[in-house]
Amino acid sequence: MTVPPPAGTSAGRFDEPTPEASLSALLRLLHPIFIAHRLRLAAGFLALVTVDFLQLIIPRFVKTAVDSLEAQLAVSSQLLDLSLLIMLVAGTIAVLRFFWRYLIIGFSRILEKKLRDRLFDHVLRMDQPFFERWTIGDLMAHASNDMATVQMACGMGLVAAVDALVMSTAALGFMLAISVKLTLIALLPMPVLIICTRILSGRLHHRFNLVQEQFSLLTEFARATLVSIRLIKAYTLEHFQEKRFQAVGEAYVRSNLKVATIQGLLFPIASLVGNIGMLLLLYYGGLLVIDKTITIGSFVAFVSYLNMLIWPMMAVGWVANLTQRGITSLRRIHRLLEQPPTVSVGPTQPLPQTASTTYTCHRLRFTYPAAVRPTLNGLCLEIGPGLTGLTGRTGSGKSTLCKLLLRMYPVADDMLLFRGVDVNRLAQADIRNCIAYVSQEPVVFADTIAANIAFGQPEATMADIETAARAAAIDADIRGFAEGYQAVIGERGVKLSGGQRQRLALARALLCKRPLLIIDDGLSAIDVETEQLVLQGILANMRGQSILLISHRVNVLKHADRIVLLDEGQIVAEGCHDELLSHPFYRAMVEKQHNHA
C-alpha cells in the first residue's frame, strides 16, 4: 500500500498552503474549557468590573471636595469623611484586584495546562508519518512558546479587553454627563488610533507567525546539536556548529525585531492620541471654566476621567497585539491537533484470545512517501510459534516489515492479519500489547538501570527485573556498577556500550512477557560469545511463543526454526540453515563471516 504523501516538509511546515482555521473553529477548541470554569470566570469578571466602577467613583469624591473648596463651603469634617471614603474604596479595590487576578489569570494557567495535556496526548497517539513531517523542535515550540502566547491572550489579554471596554464606556458616560461638547473635542484624535491599530495588527499576524517558525528551527537545531555532541566533537565541528547556530539565532532575532517594530509603534501611537486629547481638553476645558460653563470640580473630574480613558486607548494596541499573537499561536496548535493519524485506530472487533500468536502477511505491498518503487512488493509470510529468522541485503524491506507489524504505517485491508483478523479491524493498542520490540538503536533514558528495564512493566519487582537481566546476559555487567541496578546511566545511555544498551533493551522486552518478540538487528553490537548466551536466554523465556529475529549474522540465524531471505521486498528463499546454503547470497554471507571468524 502506498502511504499518502505527507502534508508538509520535514521541518514541520507545509509546502502547500493550507486554509487557516476560522475563528469559530478556534473558539470551539477553547469553548469546553471556558464552559467548565464559567463560574470562576464570572466571579473574576464581576470583581474586575466592580474595581472599574469603584475607580470611577473616586473622581466624583474629588469633584465634590474641589467644588466645596471653590465655594468656600468646605469644613474639615467633610474633607475627612471624603478622605476616609476614598481610603475605603482604595482598600476595596486592592482586595478585589487580588481576587480577579487569582480567578482570571489562574484560569488562563488552567487553560494552558488543558491545551498542553491535549497536545501531548494527541502527539502520543500519532503514527510514524506524522513524526516524519513534524520535527521535535517544532513540537516543542508548540508546547512552549505557542502555549504561553495563548495563555497570555486568554489571561491578561482578556482582562485588558474587558477592563478597557468597561472603563472606556463608563468614563465616557461620566464625561458626557459633565459636558457633551468637551467630550467630543477630547475624542477627536480617536479615529487615528483605530486606523493605525487596524493596519498594524494585520502585519503583526504574519510577522509573529514567522517568529514562531524561527523559534521552532532554533529549538530543533539546539536539540539536534546536543544529541549528536559526541559526533560533533569527534569531527571537531564545534566552531562550524557555533556559526550555524549563530546564523539561526540572528534570523530569529531579526524576526523578533520586526514584531517589536510593530509593537513599538502601537503603544506610542495610543499614548500620542491620548495626550493630544488631553491637550485639547486643557485648552477648551479651560475656556469653559473661565466662562463658568462648568465648575472647577467638574473640570478636575473630567481630567481624571480622560486620564482613565487614556489607559483603554493604550490598551487597544496592547490587546490587539496579544490577540493577534494568541490567534496565530492558537491556529498553529489547532493545525497540529487536526492532523489525523494515517493508521486506522479501530477496533471494529475484539482481539481473538488464542494460545499462540500468528502474524500473516498476505501479498503485502508498501511504498514510502515520495518513493518510486515499493519497499515491500507482494510479501507473503507467516510468523508463528518458534524462532523465525529474517535476513537479506540492506534495503530489502526487513525494518519496514517490523514497522508495519508494529502498526507504525497504514496498510491496505486484508494484507496484514493478526491472529487471523485484519489489523485494520483491531485496536492498535491491542496488537501492540502483544508485541515486545527491540531495535538496532535502542532507546535508553537518563534514569536508573532498573527503571529502564521496567519501562514497559512499571509494576515489576526487583526480582523480575533481575531475572530479565540474567536472561539478556547483562546482569553481570550491571553488577559491575557501584550502584548496581540503581546506577543512573546518563542521557541516551552514555555510560553503556552499544552492546550493553542492546541487551538492556532486550531485558526490557523479555520482562514484558508478550507473545510475540521482534528483534530488528538488536544483537548486532554483541560479541559472539555473549550472543550465544543471549540466544539461550531468549529461547528459554519465549518457549512456545513467536519470535521474529532480523539479523545478518549466521551464528544467530542458524538457531532459527526457519530462515526467510528477502530481496527487493519479496521472499526469494526460505528454509533452515542447511537448506539455504544452496542460495548464492546466503552461501556468500556464510563464507564471508566464516573467513572473518
Side-chain angles (χ1 to χ4, degrees):
M1 174 183 179
T2 302
V3 178
T9 66
S10 61
R13 294 184 300 278
F14 293 73
D15 292 324
E16 298 180 1
T18 55
E20 287 189 337
S22 65
L23 187 58
S24 60
L26 299 182
L27 292 176
R28 283 195 297 273
L29 184 61
L30 301 178
H31 182 259
I33 306 174
F34 274 86
I35 291 298
H37 296 85
R38 59 188 179 278
L39 295 179
R40 179 191 185 115
L41 287 171
F45 283 115
L46 178 61
L48 175 64
V49 172
T50 303
V51 167
D52 288 342
F53 278 107
L54 289 175
Q55 287 178 309
L56 292 163
I57 291 174
I58 293 177
R60 303 298 297 179
F61 294 154
V62 175
K63 175 185 180 300
T64 302
V66 172
D67 284 342
S68 296
L69 290 169
E70 182 190 16
Q72 296 183 348
L73 299 174
V75 294
S76 59
S77 60
Q78 181 191 17
L79 294 177
L80 179 61
D81 289 342
L82 288 172
S83 299
L84 290 174
L85 281 172
I86 291 174
M87 289 177 63
L88 177 62
V89 170
T92 306
I93 288 173
V95 173
L96 291 177
R97 185 166 284 157
F98 166 79
F99 278 108
W100 73 247
R101 284 179 177 272
Y102 172 77
L103 294 170
I104 301 175
I105 305 302
F107 162 77
S108 70
R109 291 297 182 183
I110 294 172
L111 180 141
E112 180 185 12
K113 177 186 179 299
K114 296 283 186 183
L115 274 182
R116 185 178 283 112
D117 288 346
R118 180 173 174 183
L119 183 71
F120 189 71
D121 182 65
H122 180 75
V123 170
L124 287 178
R125 294 175 184 274
M126 296 307 290
D127 43 39
Q128 195 65 28
F130 172 85
F131 293 103
E132 292 173 359
R133 299 194 302 268
W134 298 78
T135 65
I136 301 300
D138 204 21
L139 296 176
M140 289 173 64
H142 280 71
S144 55
N145 255 22
D146 284 322
M147 288 295 175
T149 304
V150 172
Q151 178 271 324
M152 192 68 176
C154 292
M156 284 308 300
L158 199 57
V159 166
V162 173
D163 190 40
L165 178 62
V166 173
M167 196 69 120
S168 60
T169 303
L172 280 173
F174 282 108
M175 290 165 67
L176 288 168
I178 295 173
S179 172
V180 175
K181 180 180 178 181
L182 198 55
T183 302
L184 294 175
I185 290 172
L187 296 179
L188 276 177
M190 186 62 72
V192 176
L193 177 61
I194 296 172
I195 294 170
C196 291
T197 300
R198 184 174 181 85
I199 293 172
L200 293 175
S201 294
R203 295 182 179 179
L204 184 65
H205 170 72
H206 170 72
R207 292 188 177 183
F208 184 68
N209 192 52
L210 184 60
V211 165
Q212 296 298 74
E213 290 182 357
Q214 291 289 345
F215 180 77
S216 299
L217 291 174
L218 186 67
T219 306
E220 174 60 20
F221 186 88
R223 184 203 67 82
T225 300
L226 293 174
V227 166
S228 55
I229 188 66
R230 285 184 291 180
L231 180 67
I232 291 170
K233 287 182 175 295
Y235 282 86
T236 61
L237 292 174
E238 295 93 337
H239 184 61
F240 176 71
Q241 285 295 98
E242 182 182 351
K243 291 178 65 177
R244 291 180 64 194
F245 184 75
Q246 184 178 357
V248 176
E250 287 174 353
Y252 177 59
V253 170
R254 286 194 297 270
S255 298
N256 270 287
L257 287 175
K258 290 179 180 179
V259 171
T261 301
I262 296 176
Q263 293 175 342
L265 288 172
L266 280 170
F267 287 98
I269 290 173
S271 181
L272 178 63
V273 168
N275 287 318
I276 291 174
M278 181 63 73
L279 181 63
L280 294 172
L281 168 64
L282 291 173
Y283 179 73
Y284 288 102
L287 294 178
L288 292 178
V289 172
I290 293 172
D291 294 339
K292 298 190 182 300
T293 304
I294 60 173
T295 65
I296 292 179
S298 296
F299 178 73
V300 171
F302 198 97
V303 170
S304 298
Y305 288 129
L306 184 58
N307 276 324
M308 291 181 183
L309 196 61
I310 289 176
W311 150 243
M313 288 181 184
M314 296 180 65
V316 168
W318 191 45
V319 169
N321 173 27
L322 291 179
T323 302
Q324 283 297 337
R325 290 167 67 118
I327 289 174
T328 300
S329 288
L330 195 58
R331 278 204 172 101
R332 284 165 51 86
I333 293 168
H334 181 272
R335 183 186 66 176
L336 193 151
L337 290 174
E338 287 297 300
Q339 296 294 306
T342 56
V343 179
S344 61
V345 295
T348 57
Q349 66 183 80
L351 180 70
Q353 300 300 316
T354 61
S356 61
T357 293
T358 302
Y359 227 141
T360 306
C361 304
H362 180 67
R363 301 188 61 81
L364 179 61
R365 290 178 57 85
F366 179 82
T367 305
Y368 283 104
V372 178
R373 301 173 61 185
T375 305
L376 296 177
N377 190 10
L379 181 69
C380 293
L381 175 66
E382 184 172 292
I383 304 165
L387 175 58
T388 300
L390 188 64
T391 191
R393 292 185 175 88
T394 301
S396 60
K398 302 182 297 298
S399 293
T400 298
L401 175 61
C402 291
K403 294 173 184 177
L404 296 182
L405 297 179
L406 289 164
R407 304 294 287 125
M408 293 183 180
Y409 287 94
V411 294
D413 290 344
D414 299 320
M415 283 191 175
L416 199 56
L417 307 178
F418 188 77
R419 293 182 178 174
V421 181
D422 182 6
V423 293
N424 292 323
R425 298 189 181 94
L426 298 172
Q428 292 181 32
D430 287 345
I431 297 175
R432 289 172 179 166
N433 282 336
C434 294
I435 302 174
Y437 175 63
V438 182
S439 64
Q440 183 177 2
E441 293 294 334
V443 176
V444 182
F445 305 100
D447 205 337
T448 64
I449 293 175
N452 269 278
I453 295 175
F455 180 76
Q457 201 78 10
E459 67 279 5
T461 64
M462 274 306 302
D464 294 332
I465 293 171
E466 291 173 4
T467 299
R470 283 193 292 271
I474 194 175
D475 177 70
D477 297 60
I478 295 171
R479 297 188 185 280
F481 289 94
E483 298 86 1
Y485 281 85
Q486 300 307 315
V488 177
I489 53 180
E491 189 72 28
R492 298 170 67 88
V494 294
K495 295 183 179 179
L496 302 179
S497 67
Q500 287 174 328
R501 286 197 295 272
Q502 286 186 339
R503 282 179 286 151
L504 188 148
L506 178 60
R508 178 193 299 159
L510 293 175
L511 180 62
C512 292
K513 298 179 180 178
R514 294 178 177 177
L516 173 59
L517 173 63
I518 298 177
I519 304 176
D520 183 8
D521 211 11
L523 308 180
S524 57
I526 302 173
D527 63 82
V528 176
E529 182 179 350
T530 307
E531 178 184 89
Q532 299 306 308
L533 294 174
V534 170
L535 279 171
Q536 291 174 18
I538 292 173
L539 294 173
N541 276 265
M542 295 293 295
R543 189 175 290 109
Q545 303 297 331
S546 304
I547 306 169
L548 177 62
L549 177 60
I550 298 173
S551 180
H552 293 96
R553 297 169 74 164
V554 176
N555 285 337
V556 173
L557 293 171
K558 67 189 337 181
H559 292 273
D561 302 308
R562 178 182 54 145
I563 303 171
V564 177
L565 183 61
L566 280 188
D567 190 26
E568 296 185 353
Q570 295 179 317
I571 296 176
V572 293
E574 63 178 306
C576 66
H577 171 74
D578 294 335
E579 292 170 341
L580 284 184
L581 288 173
S582 60
H583 191 278
F585 174 80
Y586 189 81
R587 186 173 62 253
M589 185 171 70
V590 171
E591 291 173 353
K592 182 178 181 180
Q593 293 183 28
H594 179 73
N595 292 334
H596 287 161

